[in-house]
Amino acid sequence: MKDNKKVELAQWASKYATENGAKEVSVSVYDSKESEVEVRKQKIEKIQESIQSGLSLKLYVNGKYSTHSTNRLDRNDLEKFIKEAILGTNYLAEDQYRSLPDRHLCYDGTEKDLKLFDSDYDSIDPRQKIDLAMQVEAETTGMDERIISVTGSYNDGSYRSYLVLSNGVEGFKESTSYSIDASASINGGDSRPSDYYYNATRFWDQLSGEGVGKYAVERALRKIGTKTIQSGKMEMLIENRSVGRVFNSLLQPMFGYNLQQKRSFLEGKIGKKIASDLLSITDNPFIESGRNSRLYDGDGLASRKMTVIENGILQTYYIDDYYGKKLDMEPTTGSPSNLIFELGDKDLSALTKDMNEGILVTGFNGGNSNSATGDFSVGVEGFYVKKGEILHPVSGMNITGNHKEIWNNLIAIGNDPLTDRSWQTPSMLFEGVDFSGL
């Protein structure tokens, strides 16, 4: 529900800034509530609540640009704050590309309920939050004598923001989030393997902690007895929750700032093949209860559904308004919303059985990726698979290669997307990956 006083404050701040020397201005007034509970050995180790309110400004003054924020929302304080901010902006260097987006590209004010906000948020008993965290840890009691510790955690948040641009754009966002997670540490003899698991939702009545603690422990126990295997070119099956680490290195070169600064191996690749025919991705900001659903982005640009990659062919870049002007390209948006992958017909278990020899990757460690060349090197952990059977956990392995090649070696996609994340990544199977170990 809108707080009309906050809306009026944003409108006033925009008008006040333009009356006092700003050519254009973007104002955001926001508030948030968050709570966190952490439990170990059935004792509360952390309990925290926070409430914040603030105002942020983007000022465009005589061809110059600056950003400012404050949590002092009294109008007398804000008058001084805004005047000083405008004065300071005048001392900056000019940047001809800094201005508000063209009005016709911006959000038009049409409201649509994306089901992101839980009206029950403020009525939840704090005891229920503590009990959820307690239950996650309690369900692992006596599960295995090798357990060193299990931590159960609960987190939630409520967020509202009011956007006013001096070009007439106004917008309102509100959302809630809840999550329950567990992290487990195990005595593995000469090692101390650990792992985690979590569930996340937009609505309280959809949140469940059942099985979260047990699954975190099971994942950690599977890591006991890790070995390093011989180096070689093998298959790599990446578990759905770890795909994002590799995919991010393909996504970064699509951003306007990397394109403009000549740090993108995907420059000039629109309409060209960059990956296997199996890879098709849609950016959909309108998914109900999606983790990053929205009607407009941080610039005020109207959200739109976009095809990012279709059958391995690159269809679009992520261009915010500023870099759109610098690149002389129409802006799309500066950041992804919900990324939806076209799925295959097999789950992780079935994909594992399809492997001849390789590693089922369940995590990445360190490493680097060069967005200009596509070269990468990163550490992996997971399980050695031969003829469809998991033989033992592996560690101390690295993968090296180039993203211009590895994505063309994608040979299967799972049917197991992570629907509680904004990047709804499924498991993915690659062939011909260079692993280095012994």
Side-chain angles (χ1 to χ4, degrees), residues 316-434:
T316 192
Y317 293 130
Y318 284 97
I319 310 292
D320 65 11
D321 183 67
Y322 176 64
Y323 282 100
K325 291 183 173 76
K326 297 194 80 169
L327 291 163
D328 194 24
M329 298 171 64
E330 182 170 310
T332 53
T333 183
S335 61
S337 62
N338 305 299
L339 294 180
I340 310 302
F341 292 71
E342 187 170 306
L343 305 178
D345 56 5
K346 296 182 179 180
D347 61 13
L348 183 66
S349 177
L351 290 174
T352 303
K353 288 181 171 58
D354 286 344
M355 295 175 70
N356 180 42
E357 182 181 21
I359 293 179
L360 164 58
V361 175
T362 58
F364 292 93
N365 304 305
N368 58 78
S369 179
N370 188 321
S371 63
T373 65
D375 293 331
F376 68 87
S377 176
V378 62
V380 300
E381 61 181 46
F383 300 90
Y384 178 56
V385 178
K386 193 163 186 178
K387 297 190 183 304
E389 297 295 328
I390 294 177
L391 299 185
H392 59 75
V394 296
S395 63
M397 303 291 293
N398 291 292
I399 59 170
T400 57
N402 190 288
H403 287 286
K404 289 181 285 189
E405 298 173 359
I406 192 171
W407 287 98
N408 282 289
N409 291 338
L410 176 66
I411 58 174
I413 293 182
N415 62 1
D416 53 351
L418 291 175
T419 56
D420 61 352
R421 299 188 187 182
S422 59
W423 297 6
Q424 297 190 14
T425 52
S427 299
M428 295 187 182
L429 178 61
F430 299 80
E431 66 179 357
V433 178
D434 284 315

Side-chain angles (χ1 to χ4, degrees), residues 42 134 136-144 147 150 214:
Q42 290 299 283
M134 289 281 191
V136 167
E137 196 259 341
E139 72 176 13
T140 67
T141 302
M143 185 176 170
D144 194 288
I147 296 175
V150 176
K214 288 183 177 179

